Amino acid sequence: MVKYWLLKSEPNAWSWANQVKEGASMWDGVRNYQARNNLRKMKKNDLCFFYHSVKERSIVGIVKVVKEYYPDPTDETERFVVVDVKAIKKLKNPVSLDQIKENDKLKDIALVKQSRLSVMPLKKVEWDIVIEMSN
């Protein structure tokens, strides 16, 4: 059964355009234990929103998990992991954090409740609402 996630990236570090150009790539650099645990729960074919953080603060695309977690080669402590993701689709219209906050049906979404977390789970209903908002 497919699960749903949100991955945050600073566009100046790794943007949607980078992801599309690269195709499949590892999602590295996570240094938060809760985010790491979420990466460990991801399974092949799970779907993730690609969120541009910092100035843009909006969901811009969808990526799919193509390889389950393995050690992060950029982590010298060997505590953190990566998954490989592949760009699937750019959203027709980005969905901003402000739009999400304005939607009462999304008041409990992790993006609002745990705004600093870089890898977070989403409920299917939350996923569907954001998809609807992007059309």
Side-chain angles (χ1 to χ4, degrees), residues 21-92:
K21 183 179 178 184
E22 188 75 19
S25 64
M26 79 177 154
W27 196 268
D28 65 347
V30 171
R31 297 297 183 265
N32 170 285
Y33 288 102
Q34 187 176 1
R36 177 206 60 190
N37 293 342
N38 287 333
L39 287 173
R40 286 181 170 175
K41 294 175 187 174
M42 289 181 174
K43 300 294 180 199
K44 192 173 182 181
N45 296 319
D46 281 359
L47 296 173
C48 313
F49 283 133
F50 191 109
Y51 180 89
H52 276 171
S53 60
V54 189
K55 290 181 182 177
E56 288 186 43
R57 298 188 314 175
S58 60
I59 298 170
V60 296
I62 298 172
V63 296
K64 177 170 70 171
V65 177
V66 294
K67 184 175 179 181
E68 294 178 17
Y69 82 90
Y70 57 97
D72 184 338
T74 69
D75 173 33
E76 294 178 8
T77 70
E78 299 179 3
R79 293 182 191 141
F80 296 96
V81 299
V82 298
V83 296
D84 288 359
V85 297
K86 180 179 180 180
I88 299 298
K89 176 182 171 182
K90 181 177 181 178
L91 294 185
K92 184 177 178 182

Side-chain angles (χ1 to χ4, degrees), residues 9 14 23 44 60 69 97 99 109 111 116 122 129 135:
S9 181
W14 187 255
K44 192 173 182 181
V60 296
Y69 82 90
L97 178 59
Q99 288 174 285
I109 195 169
L111 186 59
R116 295 186 51 96
L122 296 175
I129 291 167
N135 290 326

